[in-house]
Amino acid sequence: MFLSVVLLFLLGSILGAVANSFTLILISRLLQATAGGVLMSFMQIMLLEIYPSQSRGKVMGLVSLVVSLAPAIGPTLGGLIVSVFNWRYLFILTIPITVIIGILALIFLPNVTKPQDIKIDLLSVLTSSIGLGTLMYGISIITTRLIPGMIFMLLGVTVTAIFAKRQFKLSFPMLNLRLLSQKTFLMMSLAALLIFGVLMGTETLMPLLVENTLHQTALIAGLVMLPGAFMLGILSPMIGNYYDQHGMKIPFIVGIILTIASSVPFLFFNQGTAIWLLVVAYMVRLAGISFLMSTTITESLKELDGVNISFGTALSNALRQIGGSLFNTIMIAISSLTTVFVSGFHLAMVFTLVITLIIGLIGWIYLRES
């Protein structure tokens, strides 16, 4: 399975490197994203299978490091590559890395789980893809084309509902939505979805602010975000270890405080804002998110065991990716509500502040009832 994912990602990279149209670039990114989505669940399931349950905080700290640090570093690395080379190298440079990973996996990666006779429900794949795709497309165009946007959103919600209803009828569902009946999994997965959405939405708009409002290069925009990415990478494993020993309460509270505190300067950024202030505010935000992400993901899985770990991991990852994609679309849509980007940016940051307060409310209810 891992080798198949590597080959799929390699195919997407090669196609992107030689693409001569937007359609081919989009297809190549979809192939890469498909492989990446499978790989995230694969990595998490394998690590949870290998390590004992008392080390889940440590494991999920490492998972959070990879899941959060990679997209956090992406803008910096992408800006550097585009500034020094050209956009094709965003694909070209991944090819040798992917080949090396495939060779190492072929030689060293063992099978650590028992094979099961599982059939993929193609109708579930189709309805989930169409439902979520049309929903996000509707959100992305609703600010400029109200009626078509509403139609696509309604269609997306309807088809997604059909997908969800079907999952309860299948003996082996594509996503085991029955796990959402467990309070801990539901509340913490919802919190993780919102946290990841705030992360991805902020990462999407920050480079636009630096380039469009401060008139800096893509490289500078990436460098502004780099210290925050390193902050997240350093803290995630440490927070995971703390969780194993003391639980989620203190890290969650610290994370909420830091994320809310970071929202204040974001609401006042403008053309005259110093670059160092953007760097500090973004570092504080990613520090807060690192506290929240590691603890909520680990807490969501704490009552699951056996095959439910795999089901829960897949569902949790799917929800986070959906949340990240939806938040990207929503944040761009909100920032487009005004003709001046900086004003739209402020509106989008107000939205992230409201979402952070909702995350805090979810955590408060959960901790009070636990």
Side-chain angles (χ1 to χ4, degrees):
M1 182 179 180
F2 184 83
L3 291 173
S4 299
V5 169
V6 170
L7 288 173
L8 184 63
F9 190 90
L10 181 62
L11 176 61
S13 298
I14 294 172
L15 183 62
V18 300
N20 57 4
S21 68
F22 173 77
T23 301
L24 286 179
I25 294 174
L26 179 59
I27 292 172
S28 69
R29 289 293 296 125
L30 288 172
L31 292 175
Q32 289 183 324
T34 300
V38 175
L39 183 59
M40 289 301 100
S41 292
F42 181 95
M43 170 189 67
Q44 193 168 323
I45 292 169
M46 290 302 99
L47 288 173
L48 290 172
E49 187 78 23
I50 293 169
Y51 284 87
S53 58
Q54 59 266 30
S55 299
R56 281 187 182 175
K58 174 184 176 181
V59 171
M60 297 312 298
L62 294 173
V63 170
S64 296
L65 186 155
V66 173
V67 171
S68 304
L69 182 60
I73 291 178
T76 306
L77 185 59
L80 177 62
I81 292 171
V82 171
S83 298
V84 177
F85 304 105
N86 63 58
W87 66 265
R88 290 188 185 276
Y89 281 85
L90 295 171
F91 296 96
I92 293 172
L93 294 177
T94 64
I95 293 174
I97 298 172
T98 308
V99 170
I100 291 171
I101 291 171
I103 293 172
L104 293 174
L106 185 64
I107 298 171
F108 297 111
L109 185 65
N111 279 318
V112 296
T113 57
K114 295 180 180 180
Q116 300 181 55
D117 184 18
I118 298 171
K119 294 182 179 179
I120 303 240
D121 182 56
L122 294 180
L123 184 57
S124 294
V125 176
L126 185 63
T127 52
S128 64
S129 302
I130 293 175
L132 293 172
T134 52
L135 174 61
M136 285 186 278
Y137 180 69
I139 294 172
S140 69
I141 67 171
I142 196 168
T143 55
T144 56
R145 299 162 61 192
L146 179 61
I147 301 302
M150 292 178 64
I151 292 173
F152 275 106
M153 288 176 62
L154 180 61
L155 177 62
V157 170
T158 303
V159 177
T160 302
I162 293 172
F163 162 78
K165 185 177 180 180
R166 182 170 178 78
Q167 302 314 294
F168 290 99
K169 297 180 179 179
L170 296 173
S171 57
F172 200 95
M174 176 178 166
L175 288 176
N176 188 359
L177 300 181
R178 295 182 183 90
L179 292 177
L180 295 176
S181 63
Q182 297 186 15
K183 186 190 74 172
T184 296
F185 183 81
L186 173 62
M187 296 184 72
M188 291 298 98
S189 293
L190 177 59
L193 180 156
L194 296 175
I195 294 161
F196 194 68
V198 171
L199 170 65
M200 296 303 294
T202 305
E203 287 177 354
T204 299
L205 291 187
M206 276 292 289
L208 298 179
L209 177 73
V210 175
E211 294 176 46
N212 296 344
T213 301
L214 301 184
H215 306 294
Q216 300 293 329
T217 64
L219 177 58
I220 296 298
L223 291 174
V224 166
M225 301 170 71
L226 188 59
F230 280 118
M231 176 69 71
L232 188 150
I234 292 169
L235 288 176
S236 291
M238 297 169 59
I239 296 165
N241 287 330
Y242 181 91
Y243 173 93
D244 285 333
Q245 300 174 33
H246 306 287
M248 70 164 283
K249 183 176 181 178
I250 298 302
F252 187 88
I253 293 173
V254 172
I256 286 293
I257 292 172
L258 290 176
T259 308
I260 292 175
S262 71
S263 298
V264 176
F266 276 120
L267 299 177
F268 298 98
F269 285 160
N270 55 44
Q271 297 89 335
T273 301
I275 291 289
W276 69 265
L277 185 57
L278 271 69
V279 174
V280 172
Y282 189 70
M283 284 180 65
V284 174
R285 167 147 293 191
L286 263 63
I289 287 174
S290 66
F291 276 91
L292 295 172
M293 187 71 71
S294 298
T295 53
T296 53
I297 295 176
T298 310
E299 190 76 8
S300 70
L301 301 174
K302 78 172 188 177
E303 295 181 358
L304 305 182
D305 54 17
V307 69
N308 281 334
I309 284 289
S310 297
F311 283 131
T313 298
L315 180 55
S316 177
N317 286 341
L319 291 173
R320 285 202 307 278
Q321 295 304 321
I322 292 168
S325 299
L326 283 174
F327 267 70
N328 277 346
T329 305
I330 292 170
M331 294 277 278
I332 291 293
I334 292 174
S335 68
S336 303
L337 291 175
T338 63
T339 55
V340 180
F341 176 78
V342 70
S343 299
F345 179 87
H346 292 159
L347 289 176
M349 290 302 110
V350 170
F351 176 71
T352 65
L353 175 58
V354 172
I355 296 300
T356 303
L357 294 174
I358 293 173
I359 295 167
L361 178 62
I362 293 171
W364 178 74
I365 294 172
Y366 174 78
L367 290 170
R368 188 186 66 174
E369 296 179 355
S370 298

